[in-house]
C-alpha cells in the first residue's frame, strides 16, 4: 500500500511558519523541510517526497519567498521522504544539491536502499549531487554558516547540521540530527540488504558525537519526534517553545535507550 502522505498529500499540508530568527518550517505533517533566510539567498533543508513538492513550493511562497532564491539544498540523507522532491525542485529552480558523500551511491545506483519501496514506490528520483559533503564541511551563504557533521548509521552518509540564528538580539544554535531512525538497522533489513554490523556501532558513535554539541533549538528530520507542530501550537507572544536547550539532549538520550533496548547494551 502506498503511503497516504504520497497518495493524499493535501491532507498533510501545514501552514508554514517562522521558528525563530531566519529559520522557517516548510514541511508537511509527516516530513520536515526547513528554510533558512540568510539575508542573501535561501538554504533549504530536505525536499520531502516527489508527491509533496507542490506543498513545499506553496509553503515557500506563502512566507513571501521565491523558490528561485534557494541557493543550496542540504539533504539529511538519501531516503525517498527527504530527497524524493529534489529532481523536481532543482528542475524548477536550479538550486545546488548537497548530500553526504557516502549517500551519493544510494540516490544514483541503489534504488532498493532509498526506502522508496517501503513507502510503496519505485525510486525514479536520482539526481546529480553538486556538493558531496564530508564531516566538518561548512556551507556559507549570507549571514549563515551551516556546519556539517557526518553521522552515519541510519544511512552511511547521514549528515547532521548546526548553525546559528539571531532572535531578539540573542544568538541561538540550531541543530538537526539527519537520521535518527533505526528502521534500517533491524536484523531483517540488514540481512536483506547485506549491510555490515558496524552500522549499529556507527549509529551509537554518531549519537555520542551529537550529544557533545549544545543546541538551543532542536529541529527534526520528521516533525513528530521534535514536536515541531505541538511547539508551534503552544507558542504565545511572549514564549517561543522552540527555544528549549534541554530538548536536544533528551531526544538523543531517548534514541540511545531505544537502540540499546533493540540490540542489547554493548
Ligand atoms: Zn530515512
Amino acid at each position: 500500500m502506498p503511503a497516504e502522505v504520497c497518495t493524499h498529500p493535501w491532507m498533510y499540508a501545514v501552514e508554514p511558519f517562522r521558528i525563530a530568527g531566519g529559520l522557517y518550517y516548510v514541511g508537511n505533517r509527516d516530513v520536515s523541510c526547513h528554510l533558512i533566510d540568510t539575508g542573501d539567498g535561501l538554504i533549504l533543508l530536505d525536499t520531502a517526497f516527489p508527491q509533496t513538492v507542490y506543498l513545499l513550493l506553496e509553503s515557500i511562497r506563502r512566507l513571501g519567498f521565491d523558490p528561485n532564491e534557494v541557493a543550496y539544498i542540504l539533504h539529511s540523507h538519501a531516503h525517498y521522504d527527504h530527497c524524493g522532491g529534489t529532481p523536481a525542485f532543482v528542475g524548477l529552480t536550479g538550486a545546488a544539491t548537497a548530500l553526504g558523500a557516502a549517500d551519493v551511491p544510494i540516490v544514483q545506483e541503489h534504488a532498493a536502499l532509498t526506502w522508496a519501496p517501503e513507502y510503496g514506490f519505485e525510486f525514479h528520483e536520482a539526481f546529480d549531487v553538486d556538493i558531496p559533503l564530508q564531516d566538518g564541511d561548512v556551507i556559507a551563504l549570507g549571514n549563515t554558516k551551516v556546519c556539517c557533521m557526518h553521522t552515519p548509521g541510519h544511512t552511511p552518509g547521514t549528515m547532521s547540521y548546526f548553525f546559528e540564528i539571531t532572535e531578539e538580539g540573542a544568538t541561538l544554535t540550531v541543530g538537526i540530527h539527519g537520521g535518527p531512525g533505526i528502521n534500517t538497522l533491524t536484523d531483517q533489513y540488514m540481512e536483506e540488504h547485506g549491510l555490515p554490523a558496524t552500522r549499529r556501532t556507527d549509529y551509537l558513535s554518531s549519537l555520542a558525537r551529537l550529544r557533545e554539541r549544545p543546541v538551543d533549538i532542536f529541529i527534526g528530520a520528521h516533525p513528530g519526534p521534535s514536536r515541531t507542530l505541538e511547539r508551534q501550537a503552544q507558542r504565545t507572544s511572549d514564549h517561543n517553545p522552540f527555544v528549549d536547550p534541554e530538548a536536544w539532549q533528551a531526544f538523543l538520550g531517548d534514541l540511545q535507550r531505544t537502540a540499546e533496548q533493540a540490540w542489547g547494551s554493548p
Side-chain angles (χ1 to χ4, degrees):
M1 273 288 279
E4 187 186 61
V5 61
C6 298
T7 59
H8 296 69
W10 56 90
M11 289 169 53
Y12 288 75
V14 169
E15 183 68 31
F17 58 89
R18 191 178 72 89
I19 293 175
L23 175 65
Y24 298 83
Y25 188 78
V26 290
N28 55 62
R29 271 205 295 121
D30 187 56
V31 181
S32 300
C33 303
H34 293 90
L35 191 70
I36 311 168
D37 174 13
T38 73
D40 189 18
L42 305 170
I43 296 172
L44 178 63
L45 304 181
D46 283 345
T47 58
F49 298 99
Q51 298 88 347
T52 54
V53 166
Y54 77 100
L55 298 176
L56 171 62
L57 291 162
E58 170 82 355
S59 292
I60 294 171
R61 291 197 182 103
R62 282 175 85 92
L63 292 168
F65 298 112
D66 179 348
N68 288 301
E69 294 169 40
V70 174
Y72 298 109
I73 305 168
L74 308 189
H75 295 95
S76 56
H77 62 278
H79 278 172
Y80 192 61
D81 46 337
H82 303 285
C83 65
T86 297
F89 198 95
V90 169
L92 290 165
T93 67
T97 59
L99 175 71
D103 268 12
V104 174
I106 296 181
V107 287
Q108 296 185 345
E109 298 161 36
H110 300 298
L113 292 174
T114 60
W115 210 255
E118 285 77 2
Y119 278 107
F121 294 89
E122 276 185 42
F123 187 75
H124 296 292
E125 283 75 23
F127 60 90
D128 291 331
V129 177
D130 300 302
I131 309 170
L133 294 170
Q134 304 285 353
D135 188 56
D137 282 354
V138 174
I139 300 292
L141 186 72
N143 59 18
T144 302
K145 286 190 176 76
V146 181
C147 302
C148 308
M149 184 191 280
H150 181 212
T151 49
H154 179 67
T155 65
T158 294
M159 296 303 291
S160 297
Y161 300 109
F162 300 90
F163 52 95
E164 290 182 343
I165 58 165
T166 305
E167 174 79 347
E168 293 176 357
T171 301
L172 300 169
T173 300
V174 181
I176 179 167
H177 178 358
I182 56 170
N183 49 335
T184 52
L185 300 172
T186 61
D187 290 341
Q188 191 192 339
Y189 191 88
M190 290 173 66
E191 271 168 38
E192 194 179 321
H193 297 280
L195 305 183
T198 49
R199 283 287 180 81
R200 288 183 180 174
T201 43
D202 287 348
Y203 180 87
L204 292 171
S205 314
S206 294
L207 285 181
R209 285 187 70 210
L210 287 160
R211 291 186 83 162
E212 291 168 8
R213 300 287 292 246
V215 162
D216 302 301
I217 296 180
F218 149 51
I219 57 174
H222 292 266
S226 53
R227 298 180 42 246
T228 302
L229 305 181
E230 289 93 320
R231 286 182 206 273
Q232 173 61 6
Q234 289 161 1
R235 185 179 196 129
T236 62
S237 56
D238 58 358
H239 177 61
N240 184 344
F242 287 100
V243 183
D244 181 354
E246 312 291 311
W248 174 250
Q249 294 296 337
F251 171 67
L252 297 174
D254 284 347
L255 292 179
Q256 188 169 340
R257 278 186 290 279
T258 302
E260 286 171 357
Q261 276 167 15
W263 312 327
S265 278

